[in-house]
Amino acid sequence: MAGSQDQAIDDVLDSLADRDVIVVSNRQPYRHTFDEAGDITVDRPAGGLTAGLDPVIQQTNGTWIAWGDGDADRQVTDDTDAVGVPPEDPSYTLRRVWLDESDVADYYYGYSNRVLWPLCHGLEANVAYEDRYFERYREVNRTFASRVVDTLGEDPFVWFQDYHFALAPQFVREQAGDDVLLSQFWHIPWPEREVFRDCPQQEALLRGLLANDLLGFHIPRYCGNFLDCVALLVPDADIDWEAWTVRLNGTETTVRAFPMGVDTETIAEHAAAPENGFWDDFRTEHGIPTDVQVAVGIDRLDYTKGIPERLAALERLWETEPNWREALTYVQKATPSRTEIPEYRELGRDVDRDIARINERFGTDDWQPIVEIDTYLSEEALYGLCRYSDIAIVSPVADGMNLVALEYISAQLDETGVLVLSEHAGAHDLLGDVAVSIDPSDTATFASRLDLALSMPADERRDRMAALRSTVTTTDLQSWMADIFRTTLTLDQPEDVSASDVKSP
Ligand code: GDG
């Protein structure tokens, strides 16, 4: 952690010392499973929010409530479904919520990932709505809320993560009253009201979220969209458009943008770790000649990430600028995701087909245009790949933030790479002035920007990357958390204090 960020989180932890901190997320920070020998092993958080939050919660002695999805999870919990973690030296409590098969099918794959996910990304054609999805989503939110309520201690501070829990804050508020401080971070975009108004449960979702004291999004545009939806769909809500607050049923919700960061220091350590020869070995393993530039894309295999659009732009580049044939290899790290959902399986087939076609069309005996890696990479291998790739292509059609863009920059220790970034990623708000900006649906311009990125002189690459690195270092994961905690705690002060202390939108 950089010094000032270190201090920021330490100061916030001091303020949290007397509070009962409860984090609620769908995914758990530790998962117990049986290995082949029948022994219990533990999966630990790797990367992203869970890994970053874990050491912070360890210092609060709090509780983390999450779905126990490991096959050995029940073996290690007590009769309150709790287990101390980290296992070797427990410092906080993980309380597991058990979901049965139809909960997983209808709450998780159904309402969360076949309704809210596509809706919030503005991809209504992918919404597959069934009544039972929402019924189960509501019931699971009730279950999580009850688990929160029976965990509450003195001066509770509850932090909900993401779109899996739009209703839970209201259920907690109804049962626990005004003394509990509720905060939520919504990790995906909030859509424009013309999109959101088509959701059959629009009002229930908004009312659920408006039970929070603080509701955070990555960027101001999502906050504005949310407030527009409230104005249109919750007639009894009182909105202060200057302060970005909403008063409803006695609760005042402050809506704010907190652009999420990544743990830049840890990523830099991983990027520095690979042995000499790592990159030569990588090239040899994948048949990439040493004089060929490497472009990389790292994504969960999700239809929001713009992978087919990226492949189309690369194909256009090799077609119209033949000098890039045998001079550029694109490495697609695609992590399979949500394969129970038909649209995801279809995307996987489309991507495989496109890659095979492009390789067939342009490949030669000595050069394969696209290399696909679908195995999970260690953080060392992933950030080593980021460090040495000449350009990274991040091209979502919609994306709350996109951590890969920030991770690529954090791993660029030599400042020789170029980031090509979609204007539809939340990260574009922070980085779009310095990165090479693209619209993934404009294939011709996208291809010409790839040409520009690949041809960029070394000193311009360095200048741009240094500026990007300065941004991601000052807005890292620790400062993001500190900012959210500090803002939430300020809202718990008497009104005259909170009004002056909470940053304006
Ligand atoms: C949601 C929002 C928002 C991927 N493959 C490997 C691997 N990864 C890691 C990446 C990155 C993470 O997965 C993906 O994060 P993203 O931010 O790109 O995307 P979502 O999963 O859609 O996340 C998004 C985020 O929440 C946080 O608010 O930014 O907009 O959609 O960290 O590195 N990690 C390793 N091996 C892999 O093979 N180690």
Side-chain angles (χ1 to χ4, degrees):
M1 252 186 253
S4 58
Q5 277 86 337
D6 222 349
Q7 190 56 49
I9 198 82
D10 283 351
D11 291 348
V12 171
L13 283 168
D14 281 348
S15 332
L16 285 173
D18 299 328
R19 312 234 25 160
D20 176 33
V21 177
I22 300 170
V23 173
V24 184
S25 68
N26 182 66
R27 284 268 168 238
Q28 54 180 343
Y30 295 87
R31 182 164 171 265
H32 291 84
T33 51
F34 289 111
D35 65 15
E36 279 171 11
D39 297 325
I40 294 178
T41 59
V42 188
D43 295 339
R44 281 153 199 287
L49 173 67
T50 311
L53 196 51
D54 177 60
V56 174
I57 303 307
Q58 286 185 32
Q59 291 180 64
T60 65
N61 193 21
T63 306
W64 192 319
I65 297 174
W67 166 29
D69 64 333
D71 58 8
D73 278 347
R74 286 177 195 261
Q75 307 292 313
V76 297
T77 47
D78 65 14
D79 54 8
T80 66
D81 304 321
V83 56
V85 288
E88 62 286 356
D89 183 18
S91 58
Y92 72 91
T93 305
L94 172 60
R95 282 195 81 189
R96 287 173 168 146
V97 171
W98 311 117
L99 301 183
D100 66 23
E101 246 177 60
S102 54
D103 291 332
V104 176
D106 296 342
Y107 142 79
Y108 181 68
Y109 288 112
Y111 201 74
S112 298
N113 287 320
R114 299 194 73 185
V115 179
L116 287 177
W117 177 268
L119 181 82
C120 287
H121 287 87
L123 299 168
E124 294 126 293
N126 286 331
V127 172
Y129 181 72
E130 303 278 347
D131 285 344
R132 65 172 200 280
Y133 290 170
F134 184 67
E135 283 157 23
R136 199 52 76 112
Y137 181 85
R138 190 175 47 213
E139 286 323 303
V140 171
N141 269 249
R142 255 190 229 290
T143 306
F144 272 88
S146 305
R147 186 50 55 95
V148 170
V149 170
D150 62 46
T151 303
L152 295 176
E154 285 290 302
D155 273 340
F157 168 3
V158 184
W159 194 27
F160 293 100
Q161 300 302 317
D162 232 347
Y163 59 99
H164 312 92
F165 302 115
L167 305 179
Q170 187 179 7
F171 296 143
V172 173
R173 184 69 78 201
E174 284 166 2
Q175 293 176 62
D178 293 337
D179 291 340
V180 48
L181 193 55
L182 301 180
S183 185
Q184 185 152 8
F185 193 80
W186 193 265
H187 289 260
I188 62 176
W190 191 275
E192 293 177 355
R193 63 183 184 178
E194 289 69 25
V195 173
F196 188 70
R197 72 196 308 174
D198 292 338
C199 173
Q201 294 76 30
Q202 30 166 272
E203 198 175 338
L205 296 170
L206 293 169
R207 287 182 183 276
L209 289 168
L210 288 171
N212 284 298
D213 296 286
L214 181 69
L215 177 59
F217 295 96
H218 286 295
I219 58 171
R221 178 159 52 90
Y222 308 152
C223 298
N225 288 348
F226 178 81
L227 291 173
D228 281 347
C229 290
V230 174
L232 181 73
L233 301 165
V234 188
D236 49 330
D238 182 8
I239 304 178
D240 181 333
W241 289 97
E242 301 259 296
W244 281 12
T245 58
V246 182
R247 186 164 275 285
L248 181 72
N249 299 331
T251 299
E252 185 173 271
T253 307
T254 296
V255 179
R256 281 289 179 282
F258 299 96
M260 187 171 166
V262 294
D263 187 346
T264 49
E265 257 189 34
T266 306
I267 292 170
E269 281 164 21
H270 285 302
E275 302 289 321
N276 281 343
F278 161 83
W279 193 230
D280 289 340
D281 292 349
F282 180 88
R283 282 178 177 270
T284 307
E285 185 188 343
H286 296 288
I288 307 172
T290 45
D291 57 346
V292 165
Q293 287 204 47
V294 174
V296 68
I298 298 165
D299 314 83
R300 272 190 314 102
L301 203 41
D302 191 293
Y303 52 75
T304 60
K305 303 294 181 185
I307 303 171
E309 288 79 357
R310 195 180 312 163
L311 297 174
L314 284 159
E315 185 169 16
R316 181 70 64 92
L317 178 74
W318 282 310
E319 182 184 286
T320 56
E321 303 287 343
N323 54 311
W324 289 116
R325 296 182 200 163
E326 302 198 296
L328 165 70
T329 292
Y330 173 62
V331 175
Q332 175 66 62
K333 168 73 221 359
T335 308
S337 174
R338 304 178 192 165
T339 45
E340 287 75 358
I341 299 177
E343 288 80 9
Y344 286 76
R345 293 197 296 274
E346 201 177 312
L347 173 73
R349 284 194 294 270
D350 288 351
V351 166
D352 286 348
R353 195 199 51 221
D354 288 353
I355 291 176
R357 193 196 59 249
I358 295 169
N359 282 342
E360 177 67 33
R361 181 172 173 195
F362 298 110
T364 63
D365 288 348
D366 303 319
W367 170 69
Q368 179 176 320
I370 301 178
V371 169
E372 189 178 9
I373 302 174
D374 59 8
T375 50
Y376 193 78
L377 296 180
S378 71
E379 293 186 294
E380 231 175 73
L382 188 78
Y383 298 132
L385 177 59
C386 288
R387 175 176 179 183
Y388 293 110
S389 292
D390 299 281
I391 70 169
I393 315 176
V394 176
S395 60
V397 294
D399 210 336
M401 172 55 65
N402 192 294
L403 300 184
V404 172
L406 311 179
E407 291 166 356
Y408 177 70
I409 296 166
S410 309
Q412 274 287 311
L413 306 184
D414 316 298
E415 301 186 343
T416 49
V418 181
L419 174 65
V420 177
L421 180 61
S422 164
E423 62 193 33
H424 303 303
H428 194 270
D429 264 34
L430 295 179
L431 311 171
D433 289 345
V434 188
V436 173
S437 196
I438 52 112
D439 171 358
S441 63
D442 178 355
T443 307
T445 315
F446 190 170
S448 70
R449 297 274 160 85
L450 289 176
D451 186 29
L452 179 111
L454 290 161
S455 317
M456 193 177 282
D459 52 349
E460 186 180 349
R461 288 177 179 232
R462 208 164 10 255
D463 288 351
R464 287 192 191 225
M465 190 47 75
L468 294 170
R469 286 173 65 73
S470 149
T471 303
V472 299
T473 312
T474 46
T475 56
D476 73 354
L477 179 65
Q478 288 74 21
S479 71
W480 174 80
M481 267 189 275
D483 210 7
I484 291 180
F485 289 157
R486 200 181 310 110
T487 307
T488 313
L489 289 171
T490 311
L491 295 172
D492 204 27
Q493 307 293 320
E495 260 179 32
D496 52 335
V497 179
S498 67
S500 60
D501 275 14
V502 176
K503 275 193 308 192
S504 314

